[in-house]
Amino acid sequence: MATNSELDKIRCNPINEGLGAFCHLFESTRSELGVALASSTAQIVFSTAIAADIKNPLLDLILALQNQTAARILRSRIGDRTLAGDLGILYGRVDSNQLDLASAIPLVEQVVKNEPDAPTSNDVDIWQAVFELVARTNPATPPTACEKILSDTPLRSSSASQRGIEQTHNEVDQRILEELTGRVHYDVGGFYERYFEGKAWTNNGRDIYEESRAQYTEGRWSGWPQPPTQSRFFEWFMKFQDTVFSRLRRRYYTSANKVLRGSEADRKLDIFLTPADVALPDGEHDWSNVLVIGERKQNPDEDGSAKTLVQLAGYAREVFGSQPERRFVPGFTICGSLMRLWVFDRSGSYNSEKFDIHKEPERFVKVLAGYVTMSDAELGLNTFIKRDDNGKYIVTRDVRISLEDKPIASTKAIVCRGTTCYRGRRSDSTEWEYVVKFAWPSDKRQREGELLKLAKERGVTGIAVWFNHEQITIDGGPDTISHFRRDMKFGTPRKLSSKASWVDGSAESSRAYSKTSLGGRSGSGGTHLMGLGLGASSATTSSSGQKRKRDKRLDGDIRLRRSKSDGSHANGTNVRFKEGELDAIGAHSIQETVIDSLADCRNEWRRNNVDSIQGAGADSLTDCESETYGNRVHYCLVTSPAGRPLNEYQSVRELLEALRDAIRGHRSLLEDGKILHRDVSENNIIITELPAEGAPKGRLIDLDLAKELDSMPSGARHRTGTMQFMAIEVLEGKGHTYRHDLESFFYVFVWTCIRYGYKGTGKQNPIKVPKTNILRGWYTGIYTEIARNKVGDMGKNRFENIIVEFAPKFENLKPLARELRSTLFPIRDGDIFTGTFHDRDIMYDGVIDAFSRAIDRLGEEE
């Protein structure tokens, strides 16, 4: 089917009598052969005449078509040229007898429908037949890419995909381990000195220790319970606090037996620090007020276990989620009498050397007192955001911008960009005018503000408009990960091996972890396939425990490049908890892929019609990195206009208009700005507040992961994304193209139609029961498994099982869903197509026009 762009070009450049000579010649040949006029005349002529009688007229027809103005301006669907260029290649193949002449019958049938001396009446059908003939007969040579290859940074998952009631401990803890893999540093040199010595309050901590010495006798703290069971330890700790820290402005509490308010994952917190005067609704503490997190274990051997790490990290994730502008989260563990101090920031986690609180009583008191007396900035709060009686605000370019109380978008994960967006307005205005964004991009990435300024200069429409961006400074210092971690000595990140647990790197037979190491390298051959979630045999085990045959798609389309450092493959880990233990059973992503876009294609149609633009030579997941840790930089970006989150649509029509206009913005960003977005998700599309007449109803925001088409690789270690919105080929490790962002828009549409649309209908959202959610397969499991699930779900039959879950409010959008699926995933040789067309108009026009028709239908219904 021709796109709107192609239709316009065809209508403006009619063939008229340009094919009359061929029609006369064909009619003469038909008459000489005695073939009667019928619907199958062309087929009979081709089968009756000798080759020479058919070849010459066909060459004339190709030349006549090539001379048409339309052929010189219509873009090829298989290469970076015009359709006239395709016809030139076709002429050469016919002339050199390399083509079965019968393949031209459908084209000839369309041409001879017209009288020899009359203008053509079916130009569109003729040109469509030309496109199809070229596609069927094009030789299997490498297609020229429609844009430069983008060498993608390896993908890495985070715990951000688990949301709401679906944040079960098993799934969240699994993702936490994945995002922390290769990013946890133990026994960091100078940790205590960096955070607790030479501060304005250090002497105060020393004074508190002197006052506490009465509680310390015979080399132990008085009243220390034996054994230190949970209830007895907390009783001792609270009494100790009442004696030593009673006059300070913050206080330690425990919630070991009760879930804190605001915890979507229902987490309890052993010990936490919060302001002593904080208001407690219904007498319950809230994650939004937690300043320091603590985990307590009775057994000292659990000090270095992965289980302890994940539990503490789960608390840190809750703090980041409830305090979205939080810069970092300090914490500690007490295992037996061994204490270890921690910090979680946007690049991972690191900790101090452990110490015994009985053998180093002064350090123990000074640490607890230090946390109580630290400044807000030293505890990781964002003091760039000011507060007064009117609420929160920032000052940028000498303009005071008040912030809405709650963000319109935020990310619930630890290691990520920590993107948080607020609506903002000038102090003298009542209208929300700005979007104020805080984020932690890699210092190697081009600043989003710079890309937005560039897009503005290039005339891009339909995206956020730049107002200002700046790097944040706190207490006179740059707010960066490297500044947080200054004056400390970091070693190699800790890993779980298959033979040893995480206890000072030594073997511990009682805690063995199987299959693969956490973030380490596996061997080659079958072992590596295990790391990809593909067993050495022909079957894999799904998350449901059922075995299934290896996906031929992955066997055919994915090749793994050996790491340059040691010749082995790098892989990640998919860790599942069973009865308190960890079972490392496979990689969560494919990070090193070099794919020949031709050799492994599934059929000739795909080879001849698509670009498979692949990332080249991506860095490995963890071990091939030259830096100790990835440095991130805290930035504040201000854009306009303001908007609402996509899920706060006020009508179905508004939702569709916002999605359509955001896609138009994506197209303008690509074609006018020469920038590819690469991170389309529901959080990165806003509904514009009070748009002017003709202005976009929805806009695309968040260019943190965007790249200029002609730019070099950023050098950043990884890029994270929301898995449920990732395109299939991106999950498979292939390079990013415009097509993949369009696919992500489609997933956002489907996700919205299933997740939302129950309000005001009187029906309860069935997704409240997470295990019945059909979309769980889009973000649960390893990357290859998620890709496999999406491939199946996009097939015509299984897609009906997806849209049957549409919420009541979106029942009438099922035809739109089917149309979008057909546009993005056409069936070719019995399989869905997931590649990238050379001609962008095919998919852009198809998707945008489908939305526009659906909007028009809604208007008629209203």
Side-chain angles (χ1 to χ4, degrees), residues 129-205:
V130 171
F131 278 124
E132 292 174 356
L133 175 61
V134 168
R136 284 195 305 270
T137 61
N138 190 62
T141 55
T144 303
C146 61
E147 56 196 80
K148 291 186 178 181
I149 291 175
L150 294 185
S151 295
D152 278 348
T153 312
L155 277 169
R156 182 137 182 188
S157 69
S158 73
S159 58
S161 293
Q162 272 62 43
R163 304 179 183 185
I165 195 171
E166 294 177 345
Q167 294 180 96
T168 61
H169 276 228
N170 265 5
E171 292 175 0
V172 173
D173 291 349
Q174 171 184 320
R175 293 300 179 199
I176 286 173
L177 263 176
E178 290 170 4
E179 69 182 79
L180 290 177
T181 296
R183 293 160 166 170
V184 179
H185 296 265
Y186 267 60
D187 301 323
V188 171
F191 185 106
Y192 176 79
E193 292 75 13
R194 162 73 178 80
Y195 287 105
F196 295 93
E197 293 289 355
K199 310 298 181 185
W201 40 264
T202 299
N203 290 338
N204 188 35

Side-chain angles (χ1 to χ4, degrees), residues 719-845:
R719 59 190 178 104
T720 56
T722 312
M723 285 176 289
Q724 55 263 44
F725 306 124
M726 284 186 194
I728 292 167
E729 290 193 336
V730 173
L731 287 164
E732 292 174 345
K734 300 180 182 180
H736 215 117
T737 73
Y738 72 89
R739 178 253 151 69
H740 301 127
D741 281 352
L742 287 175
E743 187 176 332
S744 293
F745 275 113
F746 173 64
Y747 294 142
V748 170
F749 166 72
V750 173
W751 181 270
T752 302
C753 289
I754 292 177
R755 286 303 185 97
Y756 310 110
Y758 286 86
K759 188 176 180 180
T761 64
K763 296 185 179 181
Q764 186 177 359
N765 187 345
I767 309 304
K768 292 293 184 183
V769 184
K771 291 190 177 180
T772 67
N773 180 6
I774 198 168
L775 296 185
R776 280 169 59 84
W778 289 13
Y779 58 86
T780 302
I782 61 178
Y783 280 177
T784 52
E785 193 173 59
I786 295 170
R788 195 159 49 238
N789 289 336
K790 286 186 175 180
V791 168
D793 288 342
M794 290 306 108
K796 184 175 181 180
N797 294 330
R798 273 178 57 180
F799 187 68
E800 291 299 314
N801 297 332
I802 295 289
I803 63 175
V804 76
E805 304 243 351
F806 273 23
K809 194 172 288 187
F810 300 124
E811 278 285 336
N812 59 345
L813 297 186
K814 289 181 179 179
L816 171 60
R818 295 187 185 100
E819 188 173 356
L820 293 172
R821 187 208 67 81
S822 297
T823 299
L824 290 166
F825 301 98
I827 304 299
R828 294 293 184 268
D829 293 344
D831 204 353
I832 66 168
F833 168 64
T834 61
T836 302
F837 286 106
H838 291 266
D839 186 353
R840 303 185 189 115
D841 293 343
I842 295 172
M843 285 190 171
Y844 271 119
D845 286 348

Side-chain angles (χ1 to χ4, degrees), residues 402-470:
S402 299
L403 305 182
E404 199 170 17
D405 185 47
K406 293 183 178 180
I408 59 174
S410 62
T411 306
K412 194 157 190 175
I414 301 170
V415 184
C416 62
R417 286 167 285 142
T419 300
T420 302
C421 297
Y422 292 91
R423 292 196 298 180
R425 63 187 176 198
R426 294 174 184 261
S427 56
D428 59 352
S429 173
T430 59
E431 301 293 340
W432 298 112
E433 181 181 353
Y434 301 105
V435 172
V436 179
K437 172 182 174 180
F438 300 93
W440 291 85
S442 166
D443 66 347
K444 294 178 176 59
R445 294 198 184 281
Q446 187 174 2
R447 296 281 75 81
E448 180 186 12
E450 296 169 359
L451 286 172
L452 284 171
K453 285 185 70 176
L454 187 63
K456 187 177 181 180
E457 293 166 0
R458 292 175 176 174
V460 174
T461 59
I463 67 168
V465 179
W466 177 90
F467 176 76
N468 188 57
H469 72 279
E470 62 184 290

Side-chain angles (χ1 to χ4, degrees), residues 470-532:
E470 62 184 290
Q471 182 177 329
I472 291 175
T473 59
I474 302 288
D475 288 347
D479 214 32
T480 65
I481 299 299
S482 61
H483 190 68
F484 294 166
R485 300 186 179 193
R486 68 189 185 278
D487 303 327
M488 291 183 286
K489 184 177 181 181
F490 288 79
T492 303
R494 286 293 185 93
K495 295 179 288 291
L496 286 174
S497 72
S498 59
K499 298 182 180 180
S501 77
W502 204 339
V503 182
D504 295 336
S506 61
E508 184 187 45
S509 59
S510 64
R511 195 177 296 274
Y513 301 92
S514 62
K515 308 286 186 186
T516 186
S517 64
L518 179 62
R521 296 186 176 111
S522 66
S524 59
T527 305
H528 180 60
L529 290 177
M530 294 291 287
L532 288 173

